[in-house]
Each structure stands twice: as structure tokens, then as C-alpha cells.
Amino acid sequence: MIESIDEVLTSFLGVDAFFVVLYSHDSSAIEGLYVLERGEVQSYEAMIGKPLPANTPTAWVLRNGQPLRFNDIEVEIAQYPELQTIRLTEAGARSWLGVPLISHAGVPLGVLTVQSYQANHFLPRDELFMLQVARQLTLATQNARLFAQRERQLAELDALQRITELVSSTLDMQQMLPSIDVVLRDFLQADAFQVVIYDPDRDRVEYAVVLEEGVPVQTHTIGRQLPPGTLVGWTLQHAQPLRIANIYTDWHRYEHVDQPSPPPLNGQRKPSWLSVPLLEAPDRPLGVLAVRSYAEGAFGVSDERFLLNVGRQLALNVRNARLYAAEQTSHRTAETLREIARVLNTTFNPAEVLLLILHELKKVIHYDSASVMLPSSNVLRIVARQSDHDNDDGRWRDLQFPLDDRSGAGRVMLKREPIIINDTLGEGAWKPSPMANVVRSWIGVPLISKGTVLGVLNINSLLPNRFSQYDAEIALTFANQAATCLLYTSDAADE
């Protein structure tokens, strides 16, 4: 169609160059740019997806929704001090005429422009003719956009339906996410896909997957805090979508985002980014869903709305998976406590029961080591211990900890309530153990029976931010069983 219009304008107006700019108000960027110079199509793909330069005559026509004509642009441009010319063709234009493409709603959709290398080439009647052509071109543009919008809506509904079926079919992220990646790569033409599930109680990444063109990429963030300065971290912190046309040039517009590494392939790739938060509540994100494209400006406002809808589906799946996991944990806890009660009723050996409690505790709280401490001569000593990482050479039996606020266990005894330390390296009062492995996060729970603190249940992890308040509540249930065991065997011994 553009070539046909060029033929008409060239024969009727004798123009040397002709171009059409289509503008998207949603993305505030150039949606289409068609340039012909003396019948030859010129390529300006690099300008697609970028904002229209504000100080050009074309931008003036778009802003004001009115025609603009220069008999000699080199002379008359001085009448518009805010404007300057941008040469799109090899030769500079002397006569210039631009008219807006106005929709039925009165919204400028773009600009139709003709140029001549000769001064005083266009007359007022040419301006009227161009307005007539612009109306026809606007009608064709609107029809094309309506058709494209309808096609996109159908494709979007199909993609959302496929994702809904995937999300509804399983709670297994590892099984579901690669299939969602296929749908998003097909619909959004994305090259990379990323999902991060975040545990706000532990302040750590619970699950993460990165797929590059469908191939898994190793990630080291699981079980750790999100690295600062990342685009995923920004999305999580602000609980807002993040859309960037070029990561390497636009990153500095966002506070606390670090400069990315130099682009690969000598800068040939100019990746764009789109991420949305997975929200449990408006101010409580569960994670982030992100896509990336190697093409600059690949994602628009409609893509952002679509990904937000996908994010809502995925957030619902995460909530359901956590509810199911909590239900399973409650079931395992009940079964474990019944087993402990059964053993407690058949033996008077406290060491055997305490080891059983620590063993069964592992089924509901993932730890690296756990122990029970009892007071003896104003210190706390370990009487039972379970560990996955060091050989049980008995060295722990010689350990002792102050029965005061100089040790974590001592503070639990004094406060008579659970204490969680998310990272021992930042805890000044933490007394390191001489054991080989360094404890990074810790839960201490008092063993209380009949109002008396009998000891402390310690739960250790080699990773920081490992435990939550929910873990402390489960641990308290096991601590009560341990306290009952100690009291029961003490009473039995007295008899």
C-alpha cells in the first residue's frame, strides 16, 4: 500500500521523498516507519520501538494534530525555535509538508510527510490534497490495527487458556514451568524465561528456574537472599511491573539497579526486559515472573498486561502449593508425634526418645544438625544430637554453653520462648561452636513442662535465613514432647 501511495504522490505532487510515521500512544514509541526516496524503500528499523524525537517537525504535527508546511525549511525553521530538522534521506529537504493521521476519536495516529529538494514546491492546494490522502490512510491504518488487535486478542486468549490448563493440572513447578516457557516464547517471542519464588518469612529464594531458549541455565540463588541490584530484585521490592526497552542503556533509570555486564557478541544484542510480581496481596509479593528478548523494545503495554494475567495464575498456583505443603507438614507432624508418644509409652530410656524426636523432626523441618541441651552446674550441655555433615566422634559431649545471655541457648532459657537467628555472622552475642561446620541460621526452643524450663532444643542450618516463624511453631510442638519425655522419665526414676 505504501508503494502505491508513493506512486500517486510522486506523479501528482512531484515529491522527492515520502514517509509515514505510525505512533503508539500506549508505548509512547514509533510503531511503524516507512521511508521512500525517489521510489526506493529506505530501512530505518532501528527507530522502531523508540520515542519520536520531540524537537522535529514531525513531532510538532503529531502533538498539535495540525498540518505544517515549509516553503524553504532551511530559512523558515527559525520561526520554530524548539524545532530542528532530522535528515532521513541523503539529500536535505528544502520544501516540507506534513499532515497528521487523525482517528475518528480525534487521536493522532501518526504523520504523513512529503519532501522536495526544491524550495517553494508545495502550494496550499497540495496541503488540502495531502489531508484527503491522510484521511484515507488513517482509515486503512485503523482497519489494520483493529484486525491486528482482534488477532492478538484471539492469540492471547488461547495462550492464557493453555497456561490456565497447565497451572490447574499440577502443583509441581519443575513440571509446569518449562511448558509455560514454551507458551510465552511462542506468544511473546521471548528468548529467555525466568521465575523466582520468594519466601518473605525467611527472606530467601525458595525456588528459581531460568530457561534460555528453552534450555535450563544453572542458578545459585535457591536458599539465599536475592542478590542486590538485580532487575528481579527491583520488581520484588517495588511489587510493580518492570519493562525496559534496552537493558544496557536504560538500567540507570531505576534506583538501586546495578549496571549489567558488557553485552555479548560485541554489542550486537540489545536485550529488552519485562518482569511482573507474583502477588499474594498488593504489598506481599511471592516472587517474580520475567521474560527477556534479544531484540530492543520487544515488549509493549499489551505484553505487560498479558504477563500480569499470567503472573496472577502463577501466584495462585504458588499459594495452593504452599497450602498443600503446609497440610502435608501438619499431617506428617501429627504422625510423627503419635510415633513419639508410642515409643514414650514403651521405654524409660530418655536418650532413645530424644534421638527419636530429633530424627522425626527432620521429616518436617530441614536442618543440618539438631540437639537437645540440658542445664548442669550453671552451664548447658548437649545430651542428644543428630547431624548430617560431621562424623559423630563424640566431641559434642564436651561442649558447654553459658546459662545466661552470652549464648543463644542461654537466652532461650532466660526468656522462656523460641528465638530465631537468621544469620549468626551478624549476631554479636552468638558463640561459635568448635565443630567443623559453621552454623549460619538457628532456632532455639525451650523445653517447658509444668512451668519449668528443663532445657533447649537447638536446630541448626549451614545456610543463612533458613528458618521461619512457622518452623519455630513446629519445633515448639516437638520441644513439648521432649519436655514430656524428660519429665516422664524423671518421675519414673523417682518411683
Side-chain angles (χ1 to χ4, degrees):
M1 180 181 67
I2 297 297
E3 288 83 354
S4 300
I5 295 176
D6 176 61
E7 291 178 5
V8 172
L9 295 180
T10 301
S11 62
F12 187 77
L13 296 179
V15 301
D16 294 304
F18 149 80
F19 65 91
V20 176
V21 176
L22 299 180
Y23 184 77
S24 171
H25 290 275
D26 286 340
S27 60
S28 299
I30 297 173
E31 181 180 317
L33 179 59
Y34 310 92
V35 180
L36 289 93
E37 183 179 11
R38 292 179 174 172
E40 295 292 329
V41 177
Q42 309 295 317
S43 177
Y44 289 90
E45 292 183 1
M47 297 184 68
I48 305 298
K50 292 185 177 180
L52 183 65
N55 56 353
T56 62
T58 301
W60 188 96
V61 174
L62 188 70
R63 279 196 306 270
N64 293 276
Q66 297 177 7
L68 181 61
R69 177 164 53 91
F70 291 103
N71 292 319
D72 190 337
I73 195 169
E74 293 181 1
V75 175
E76 297 172 2
I77 193 71
Q79 300 175 18
Y80 300 84
E82 76 276 16
L83 300 184
Q84 64 182 27
T85 59
I86 295 180
R87 183 175 296 182
L88 289 182
T89 57
E90 292 184 3
R94 293 292 301 277
S95 299
W96 191 96
L97 173 59
V99 294
L101 309 179
I102 305 292
S103 70
H104 294 302
V107 178
L109 303 179
V111 178
L112 170 62
T113 299
V114 289
Q115 300 177 2
S116 173
Y117 304 145
Q118 305 297 322
N120 302 303
H121 187 82
F122 301 117
L123 302 174
R125 68 183 183 188
D126 299 328
E127 183 176 316
L128 294 175
F129 173 73
M130 284 283 289
L131 285 170
Q132 293 294 331
V133 174
R135 291 190 186 98
Q136 297 297 321
L137 184 57
T138 300
L139 181 60
T141 300
Q142 287 180 297
N143 289 338
R145 283 185 172 180
L146 287 173
F147 180 77
Q149 184 178 6
R150 178 179 176 276
E151 292 296 302
R152 179 188 169 87
Q153 287 174 344
L154 291 174
E156 185 171 319
L157 287 173
D158 177 67
L160 286 174
Q161 179 63 31
R162 291 163 62 190
I163 290 174
T164 300
E165 292 173 357
L166 289 169
V167 170
S168 303
S169 64
T170 180
L171 296 176
D172 186 346
M173 286 278 181
Q174 193 170 358
Q175 175 184 345
M176 174 182 60
L177 291 180
S179 299
I180 292 180
D181 168 57
V182 172
V183 177
L184 294 182
R185 278 193 291 131
D186 179 51
F187 181 73
L188 295 176
Q189 301 298 302
D191 296 299
F193 165 83
Q194 182 175 357
V195 170
V196 172
I197 306 302
Y198 174 73
D199 185 342
D201 295 328
R202 296 183 176 96
D203 187 25
R204 67 181 180 89
V205 175
E206 181 179 313
Y207 181 83
V209 62
V210 179
L211 298 172
E212 193 89 22
E213 297 181 334
V215 178
V217 177
Q218 189 174 10
T219 176
H220 301 284
T221 59
I222 297 177
R224 305 175 184 272
Q225 291 179 304
L226 271 174
T230 63
L231 301 178
V232 169
W234 189 98
T235 306
L236 191 70
Q237 178 185 356
H238 294 82
Q240 295 177 3
L242 177 61
R243 180 162 47 90
I244 302 180
N246 187 326
I247 295 173
Y248 295 120
T249 59
D250 300 341
W251 63 271
H252 58 86
R253 299 179 183 177
Y254 303 92
E255 189 178 9
H256 305 309
V257 170
D258 293 341
Q259 183 175 2
S261 303
L265 301 179
N266 298 320
Q268 294 179 20
R269 290 180 177 176
K270 300 177 180 180
S272 49
W273 171 275
L274 174 60
S275 56
V276 298
L278 310 179
L279 297 176
E280 182 179 27
D283 58 346
R284 185 176 173 84
L286 298 172
V288 174
L289 167 63
V291 290
R292 179 165 46 85
S293 171
Y294 296 139
E296 186 174 14
F299 307 116
V301 174
S302 57
D303 298 320
E304 183 178 312
R305 287 195 294 261
F306 168 76
L307 204 63
L308 279 168
N309 285 329
V310 176
R312 293 186 187 99
Q313 297 271 8
L314 197 53
L316 179 61
N317 181 275
V318 172
R319 288 198 297 270
N320 290 339
R322 286 181 173 175
L323 289 173
Y324 178 75
E327 181 182 348
Q328 292 297 101
T329 299
S330 298
H331 177 72
R332 287 195 298 269
T333 302
E335 290 291 327
T336 298
L337 293 177
R338 279 195 289 269
E339 176 63 15
I340 293 173
R342 185 190 66 78
V343 174
L344 186 60
N345 288 328
T346 59
T347 181
F348 293 102
N349 185 346
E352 179 182 345
V353 177
L354 291 178
L355 284 175
L356 174 65
I357 289 174
L358 295 178
H359 181 268
E360 295 296 321
L361 178 64
K362 181 77 171 179
K363 296 179 180 179
V364 290
I365 299 179
H366 181 76
Y367 63 73
D368 292 301
S369 65
S371 63
V372 173
M373 288 183 178
L374 299 181
S376 174
S377 302
N378 294 322
V379 295
L380 285 163
R381 297 182 183 274
I382 298 175
V383 297
R385 185 172 184 271
Q386 175 82 25
S387 176
D388 292 341
H389 294 279
D390 50 39
N391 296 324
D392 189 1
D393 55 6
R395 284 186 299 156
W396 55 267
R397 291 183 175 86
D398 299 326
L399 298 177
Q400 58 184 37
F401 298 86
L403 193 56
D404 54 33
D405 59 6
R406 289 177 296 166
S407 70
R411 278 186 284 161
V412 172
M413 291 283 291
L414 295 174
K415 290 189 174 183
R416 304 167 61 90
E417 61 184 25
I419 293 177
I420 300 176
I421 296 180
N422 291 318
D423 193 345
T424 60
L425 296 185
E427 184 72 18
W430 179 259
K431 180 181 179 182
S433 166
M435 304 297 285
N437 294 306
V438 177
V439 173
R440 289 294 301 275
S441 50
W442 176 82
I443 302 179
V445 183
L447 311 180
I448 300 177
S449 182
K450 296 184 178 180
T452 301
V453 182
L454 304 178
V456 177
L457 170 62
N458 300 275
I459 306 173
N460 307 316
S461 174
L462 303 182
L463 296 175
N465 303 294
R466 180 64 186 84
F467 304 118
S468 67
Q469 188 61 42
Y470 180 66
D471 294 326
E473 293 170 3
I474 294 176
L476 188 58
T477 304
F478 280 80
N480 291 337
Q481 286 284 351
T484 301
C485 164
L486 295 171
L487 185 64
Y488 180 74
T489 54
S490 175
D491 290 343
D494 291 341
E495 293 178 1

